[in-house]
Amino acid sequence: MATWKPDPTFYPSPGLAAEAPSEKHAFVATFWRGEGEPNKDALAVVSVDPDAHDYGEVVGWCEMPNYGDELHHHGWNACSSALCPNNPHPHIERRYLLMMGLRSSRIHFVDVKDDPRNPRIAKIIEPEEYKAKSGYSRPHTAHCGPEGIYITNLGSAEGDEGPGGIALLDHDTFEVKGTWEKDRGPQYLAYDFWWHINHDRLIASEWGTPRQIENGVHVEDLLAGKYGNKVHVFDLVTRKHLQALELGPQYQMALELRPSHDPDQQYGFIGVVLSLEDLSASIWCWKREGQDGDFTIHKVFDIPAEPVAEEDVDRLPDLLKPFKAVPRW
């Protein structure tokens, strides 16, 4: 039965969440990599209670019913963002994990509330329905938000290319409501997204199209700087693109976003996989200038490539031999 008392695991800030009791179970996506007999992807449950006799062991398992999903990132159906003042949903609870099939475009809702060591699949959105209603394919990351469940996608519904972007699901029925963006501006590639929810700003990053990632990196596209190297700013209410923050063509695959733990602040960090100049990785900081100004972005940390001994250079792929190093991916 629905209740108007908020889920007690909804916290006003990440700082308060960190002070809460520790989780007793961790949920880990596993997927078949194509060796030997095909196995179905699954959700593994790991005991993380240091006082339990089975601490650190796999204590539960939920196998997916189909082959070839390639489970990747997963997220909760509900979180503190559901209490956003301008569109609150206090009646929903954090009980379902969304397990997205990056290759299949199939989405599983796994119920872990009543018996976390024996998760069960409560609902599946099949690829045909998801593509038709969302306009996207290859779902990657899910976050609960003020209007529903937001899911970022790498590709369009039609095939292996873009544009990627965000789809919106209903909080209560889990039905696909449609494409989130009203005006995507120059955004074409997609990967992660987060927000400064108190300030109505959504931040999105870039990776590559399904063609560029599903069977490994395309070297030609990489050297041509065709992977993601921008951070995009959207208005969370109007769903319109506001800014594209350029990192430079040498920086490829601008991926994971981590906003400030203080919800009143408007800054955060993004990890970039590769520099074409020296194979280094890097961390960048986006920040809003004042409460109502534009966002800027700048590099704050370099992660040098790993040098390779002279006698081992010939063992490197031809692409890496001139660098005499390997990236720290």
Side-chain angles (χ1 to χ4, degrees):
M1 179 181 295
T3 174
W4 286 95
K5 182 180 180 181
D7 187 315
T9 66
F10 292 174
Y11 300 100
S13 72
L16 290 175
E19 297 174 4
S22 299
E23 299 279 356
K24 296 184 182 298
H25 300 96
F27 302 99
V28 182
T30 68
F31 65 93
W32 176 63
R33 294 300 301 269
E35 297 179 4
E37 292 297 318
N39 295 308
K40 295 176 180 177
D41 298 352
L43 174 66
V45 184
V46 180
S47 172
V48 291
D49 181 358
D51 296 325
H53 72 278
D54 49 15
Y55 175 61
E57 298 178 8
V58 175
V59 295
W61 194 258
C62 180
E63 189 175 79
M64 302 298 110
N66 299 281
Y67 293 102
D69 286 311
E70 191 173 325
L71 299 181
H72 203 49
H73 288 202
H74 50 280
W76 291 104
N77 70 298
C79 65
S80 302
S81 295
L83 301 182
C84 180
N86 65 0
N87 203 350
H89 298 266
H91 58 287
I92 60 174
E93 59 181 348
R94 187 184 71 139
R95 68 179 294 172
Y96 300 100
L97 282 171
L98 275 72
M99 310 297 298
M100 280 84 65
L102 184 63
R103 191 175 291 267
S104 69
S105 299
R106 181 178 290 109
I107 300 178
H108 312 80
F109 289 79
V110 182
D111 190 343
V112 300
K113 178 189 176 185
D114 294 332
D115 189 357
R117 295 191 173 209
N118 291 284
R120 64 177 185 86
I121 297 175
K123 178 184 174 66
I124 295 177
I125 300 176
E126 294 292 348
E128 297 76 15
E129 176 186 358
Y130 185 69
K131 293 176 183 179
K133 293 183 178 179
S134 72
Y136 292 123
S137 66
R138 280 62 165 212
H140 182 273
T141 299
H143 293 310
C144 161
E147 291 186 87
I149 303 170
Y150 297 61
I151 299 179
T152 190
N153 306 268
L154 300 188
S156 69
E158 287 73 29
D160 292 339
E161 299 296 339
I166 297 171
L168 190 65
L169 275 59
D170 187 271
H171 265 311
D172 299 298
T173 66
F174 303 148
E175 294 297 316
V176 183
K177 297 177 70 173
T179 302
W180 178 76
E181 298 89 351
K182 298 297 185 185
D183 176 6
R184 71 173 63 255
Q187 179 265 329
Y188 182 79
L189 301 176
Y191 182 73
D192 195 10
F193 70 103
W194 264 113
W195 40 54
H196 298 298
I197 203 164
N198 288 2
H199 306 277
D200 296 327
R201 290 295 180 266
L202 181 144
I203 311 296
S205 64
E206 299 185 335
W207 186 11
T209 64
R211 175 189 63 82
Q212 291 175 307
I213 63 99
E214 283 188 341
N215 295 302
V217 172
H218 283 229
V219 175
E220 297 81 5
D221 284 0
L222 180 64
L223 294 178
K226 293 184 178 180
Y227 284 84
N229 63 354
K230 301 180 186 68
V231 174
H232 298 276
V233 181
F234 286 84
D235 187 300
L236 192 55
V237 176
T238 65
R239 308 186 191 180
K240 293 182 178 181
H241 187 279
L242 299 176
Q243 280 186 267
L245 307 178
E246 300 269 356
L247 306 186
Q250 71 271 36
Y251 297 106
Q252 293 288 286
M253 305 185 202
L255 301 184
E256 304 288 349
L257 298 164
R258 295 294 182 269
S260 167
H261 282 183
D262 182 345
D264 290 329
Q265 299 298 314
Q266 297 187 76
Y267 71 88
F269 301 92
I270 181 171
V272 178
V273 172
L274 183 72
S275 166
L276 296 178
E277 294 180 339
D278 56 11
L279 302 186
S280 65
S282 52
I283 298 172
W284 297 62
C285 176
W286 76 82
K287 182 179 181 181
R288 195 172 189 182
E289 301 302 324
Q291 290 297 310
D292 301 312
D294 288 338
F295 283 83
T296 60
I297 194 165
H298 64 281
K299 186 167 61 172
V300 295
F301 194 74
D302 279 310
I303 304 168
E306 183 70 28
V308 171
E310 193 68 39
E311 61 269 20
D312 293 327
V313 169
D314 287 341
R315 300 169 58 189
L316 294 175
D318 290 340
L319 174 66
L320 302 183
K321 287 179 180 177
F323 295 97
K324 297 182 180 180
V326 293
R328 294 181 178 179
W329 291 3

